[in-house]
C-alpha cells in the first residue's frame, strides 16, 4: 500500500495566475510582466516622450547631483543600495558624479530580473570601471531582509522611477516601514514620487499611441501562453487606462472584447470571461507633499530634503529615521 501523497508546489507566478484569474474582479500582478521581453518593452516605454517620469528624474539627477551627494557620507564611505535598479540609466549619472568627486562607496543594485542585472553589470564594466559593485537578484522584500547585514557604515537606499507608485497606500507604508526597520540613524532613503498633475498628462503617459503600454501589459498573456500552455488570443483583449485626479490613482486594465473561455493547460485552469470583463494589472499612484509626508510619518520617517523637477511633475525626497 502506497501512503505517499503528492503535493504540487506552485511558483509565485503560478499562484498569482490561479488566484488572480479565479477572483472577482480579476487581477494579475504587474511584477510578472517583467521577463526579457517585458524588460525591453519597459525600456522602450521609458524612452517615449509621453512617459515624462524618466526625463524628469533624469534631469533632477543630472542638474542636482552635487546637492544630492552632499547628503552622503563621502569620506567615511557608504553603501549605495538601489531597489529595482533596472538598466541603471539614471543611476549612472549619480554614479559618474560620485566617481568624479572620488567618493568612497560600493554600489549594490537589486532587481527581480537577472537578465537586467547582467546587462547592468556589463554596462558598468564598460562605462564606469571605477565603480565597485555587487549585483543582488531578488524581490525588494527578499533583499530588504538582507539589508541589516550592511551596518558598518552609512547606507543610502535608492528607489527611483516612482516604483512606490505601484503599491496601494497601505502596502507603501509597509514597504517604507520595512526599509526603516533596516536603517540606522545615519542612513538615508532617496526615493522618487511622481506628482499629481493635469489628468490628461497622466493618461497619455500610460496609454501611448504606439501601443507600447498595451504590449507591455499583454506580455502577461504572452508569458502564460509560453510557460503555462495557455491559449489567450491577444487581439481579443485591449488595454484601458483610468486616472482619478482626486486620489491620484492611475489604473491599467486588460478588457475582454467578447464572451470567451481561456484554457491554461499546465495549471489545469479554465477561465471564463464575459464581454467587457476586466483584469486589473497595475496601479501607478501620483502624490503631493502632504501624502508623502503622511506615508513617511506612518513608517517612522521624516522628510529630510526635496529635489524637484523644473516643471514640478516629479520629486525625489530624502528621508531619515524619526
Amino acid at each position: 500500500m502506497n501512503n505517499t501523497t503528492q503535493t504540487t508546489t506552485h511558483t509565485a507566478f503560478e499562484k498569482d495566475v490561479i488566484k488572480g484569474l479565479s477572483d472577482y474582479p480579476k487581477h494579475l500582478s504587474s511584477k510578472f510582466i517583467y521577463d526579457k521581453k517585458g524588460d525591453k518593452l519597459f525600456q522602450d516605454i521609458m524612452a517615449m516622450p509621453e512617459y515624462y517620469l524618466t526625463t524628469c528624474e533624469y534631469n533632477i539627477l543630472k542638474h542636482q547631483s552635487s546637492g544630492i551627494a552632499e547628503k552622503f557620507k563621502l569620506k567615511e564611505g557608504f553603501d549605495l543600495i538601489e531597489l529595482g535598479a533596472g538598466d541603471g540609466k539614471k543611476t549612472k549619472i549619480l554614479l559618474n558624479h560620485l566617481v568624479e568627486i572620488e567618493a568612497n562607496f560600493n554600489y549594490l543594485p537589486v532587481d527581480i530580473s537577472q537578465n537586467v542585472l547582467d546587462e547592468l553589470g556589463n554596462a558598468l564594466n564598460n562605462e564606469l570601471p571605477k565603480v565597485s559593485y555587487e549585483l543582488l537578484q531578488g524581490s525588494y522584500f527578499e533583499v530588504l531582509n538582507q539589508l541589516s547585514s550592511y551596518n558598518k557604515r552609512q547606507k543610502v537606499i535608492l528607489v527611483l522611477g516612482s516604483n512606490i507608485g505601484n503599491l496601494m497606500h497601505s502596502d507603501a507604508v509597509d514597504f517604507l516601514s520595512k526599509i526603516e526597520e533596516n536603517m540606522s540613524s545615519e542612513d538615508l532613503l532617496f526615493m522618487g514620487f511622481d506628482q499629481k498633475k493635469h489628468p490628461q498628462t497622466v493618461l497619455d503617459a500610460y496609454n501611448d499611441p504606439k501601443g507600447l503600454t498595451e504590449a507591455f501589459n499583454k506580455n502577461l498573456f504572452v508569458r502564460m501562453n509560453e510557460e503555462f500552455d495557455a491559449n489567450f488570443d491577444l487581439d481579443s483583449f485591449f488595454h484601458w487606462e483610468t486616472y482619478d485626479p482626486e486620489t491620484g490613482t492611475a489604473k491599467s486594465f486588460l478588457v475582454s472584447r467578447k464572451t470567451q473561455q481561456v484554457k491554461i493547460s499546465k495549471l489545469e485552469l479554465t477561465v471564463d470571461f464575459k464581454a467587457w470583463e476586466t483584469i486589473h494589472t497595475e496601479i501607478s499612484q501620483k502624490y503631493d507633499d502632504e501624502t508623502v509626508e503622511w506615508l513617511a510619518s506612518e513608517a517612522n520617517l521624516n522628510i529630510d530634503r526635496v529635489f524637484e523637477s523644473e516643471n514640478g511633475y516629479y520629486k525625489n525626497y530624502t528621508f531619515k529615521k524619526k
Side-chain angles (χ1 to χ4, degrees):
M1 185 175 174
N2 189 351
N3 292 324
T4 304
T5 56
Q6 193 168 7
T7 57
T8 304
T9 304
H10 290 295
T11 66
F13 185 24
E14 289 170 344
K15 287 177 185 173
D16 189 69
V17 168
I18 292 166
K19 175 162 175 43
L21 296 185
S22 301
D23 279 352
Y24 183 82
K26 294 177 171 66
H27 56 89
L28 291 167
S29 172
S30 60
K31 71 183 178 183
F32 297 112
I33 297 173
Y34 296 90
D35 60 358
K36 194 165 187 174
K37 184 177 180 182
D39 293 340
K40 175 65 168 66
L41 282 166
F42 188 61
Q43 287 172 10
D44 292 342
I45 287 169
M46 289 193 294
M48 297 187 313
E50 296 88 355
Y51 196 78
Y52 59 83
L53 292 84
T54 307
T55 304
C56 288
E57 191 166 50
Y58 185 92
N59 287 332
I60 288 173
L61 292 164
K62 183 178 180 181
H63 300 301
Q64 302 184 56
S65 276
S66 295
I68 295 166
E70 285 172 9
K71 308 301 299 178
F72 306 164
K73 290 188 177 297
L74 300 172
K75 288 198 166 50
E76 297 97 317
F78 61 96
D79 291 308
L80 184 64
I81 302 166
E82 182 173 12
L83 304 182
D87 64 2
K89 178 184 175 184
K90 291 173 291 190
T91 314
K92 281 186 269 188
I93 304 166
L94 183 59
L95 295 175
N96 190 58
H97 176 74
L98 293 172
V99 168
E100 284 179 354
I101 62 174
E102 299 183 343
N104 172 19
F105 75 102
N106 192 31
Y107 176 46
L108 302 157
V110 178
D111 204 281
I112 197 166
S113 169
Q114 187 63 51
N115 170 61
V116 159
L117 285 173
D118 291 341
E119 290 182 1
L120 176 57
N122 290 332
L124 291 170
N125 291 338
N126 293 328
E127 299 166 36
L128 292 162
K130 291 183 179 177
V131 172
S132 169
Y133 70 88
E134 179 186 347
L135 306 176
L136 298 174
Q137 192 272 330
S139 72
Y140 296 169
F141 297 110
E142 286 170 349
V143 179
L144 277 173
N145 290 330
Q146 302 166 22
L147 283 182
S148 55
S149 63
Y150 294 94
N151 56 8
K152 292 177 183 163
R153 57 183 186 172
Q154 185 193 36
K155 293 192 298 291
V156 177
I157 301 167
L158 211 60
V159 187
L160 303 182
S162 198
N163 284 336
I164 195 168
N166 297 136
L167 302 173
M168 300 295 286
H169 285 333
S170 59
D171 294 327
V173 169
D174 184 48
F175 178 50
L176 289 168
S177 296
K178 281 187 166 67
I179 294 176
E180 185 273 338
E181 286 166 11
N182 288 286
M183 290 172 65
S184 73
S185 59
E186 298 297 313
D187 293 344
L188 196 71
L189 171 61
F190 182 90
M191 184 177 281
F193 288 80
D194 194 15
Q195 302 294 297
K196 289 182 178 179
K197 58 188 68 65
H198 194 295
Q200 194 61 53
T201 304
V202 175
L203 286 170
D204 289 347
Y206 297 96
N207 198 23
D208 63 285
K210 290 182 180 176
L212 287 172
T213 316
E214 178 157 16
F216 178 68
N217 276 269
K218 284 185 176 179
N219 197 49
L220 285 163
F221 292 159
V222 173
R223 282 197 66 184
M224 284 187 276
N225 285 350
E226 291 175 354
E227 297 175 29
F228 304 152
D229 193 20
N231 65 341
F232 280 96
D233 174 14
L234 273 60
D235 293 333
S236 294
F237 294 83
F238 63 92
H239 170 260
W240 192 258
E241 190 72 23
T242 66
Y243 178 63
D244 182 345
E246 182 180 38
T247 63
T249 307
K251 289 186 177 182
S252 297
F253 298 91
L254 291 167
V255 186
S256 177
R257 295 182 184 274
K258 61 184 183 182
T259 300
Q260 56 183 309
Q261 189 176 78
V262 175
K263 292 188 184 300
I264 307 175
S265 297
K266 186 184 173 189
L267 303 184
E268 299 180 350
L269 186 66
T270 300
V271 186
D272 292 305
F273 290 91
K274 293 178 286 190
W276 318 122
E277 189 173 359
T278 60
I279 306 172
H280 176 216
T281 57
E282 190 170 25
I283 72 157
S284 302
Q285 189 68 40
K286 311 305 167 193
Y287 302 89
D288 51 30
D289 285 337
E290 290 77 14
T291 308
V292 175
E293 194 171 338
W294 172 77
L295 288 171
S297 180
E298 289 291 300
N300 200 38
L301 293 166
N302 282 326
I303 294 174
D304 176 63
R305 189 167 167 185
V306 183
F307 300 90
E308 183 175 0
S309 65
E310 288 182 2
N311 56 15
Y313 281 8
Y314 195 94
K315 293 180 182 179
N316 289 97
Y317 299 75
T318 55
F319 303 91
K320 299 195 93 169
K321 283 172 79 85
K322 279 186 179 179

